[in-house]
């Protein structure tokens, strides 16, 4: 879960929760398909493939198809399957 979510685009993530997005948890990691659900100031990112060792304190960045950053957050409690629970960046 992501707390205090920072929405950097036009709120598209919140309006279209079932849309597949792309995200990464490491700067040089490849973009990975995921679904994002927003619950107030919290966000849950579910990657289609498990992510290697998501660690509290790392950031997840969610991108639109055109490369715009839609949202970001700080991981607070990763799930064993690589589902990132995050808090907001900044």
């Amino acid at each position: 879960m992501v707390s205090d979510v920072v929405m950097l685009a036009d709120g598209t993530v919140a309006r279209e929760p079932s849309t597949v997005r792309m995200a990464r948890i490491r700067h040089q990691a490849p973009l990975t398909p995921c679904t994002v659900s927003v619950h107030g100031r919290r966000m849950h990112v579910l990657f289609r493939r498990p992510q290697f060792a998501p660690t509290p304190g790392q950031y997840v960045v969610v991108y639109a198809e055109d490369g715009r950053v839609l949202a970001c957050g700080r991981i607070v409690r990763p799930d064993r399957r690589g589902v990132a629970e995050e808090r907001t960046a900044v």
Side-chain angles (χ1 to χ4, degrees), residues 1-2 13 17-25 31-39 43-51 54 60-62 75 77-86:
M1 212 34 125
V2 179
V13 171
S18 61
T19 302
V20 174
R21 303 288 180 201
M22 301 298 281
R24 70 177 90 191
I25 60 172
L31 290 172
T32 304
C34 65
T35 54
V36 178
S37 56
V38 177
H39 311 279
M43 179 171 70
H44 187 254
V45 178
L46 177 61
F47 288 96
R48 290 213 171 154
R49 294 186 308 264
Q51 298 299 291
V60 169
V61 180
V62 179
I75 297 171
R77 211 173 44 237
D79 172 291
R80 286 186 204 168
R81 296 170 295 153
V83 176
E85 291 202 44
E86 314 142 29

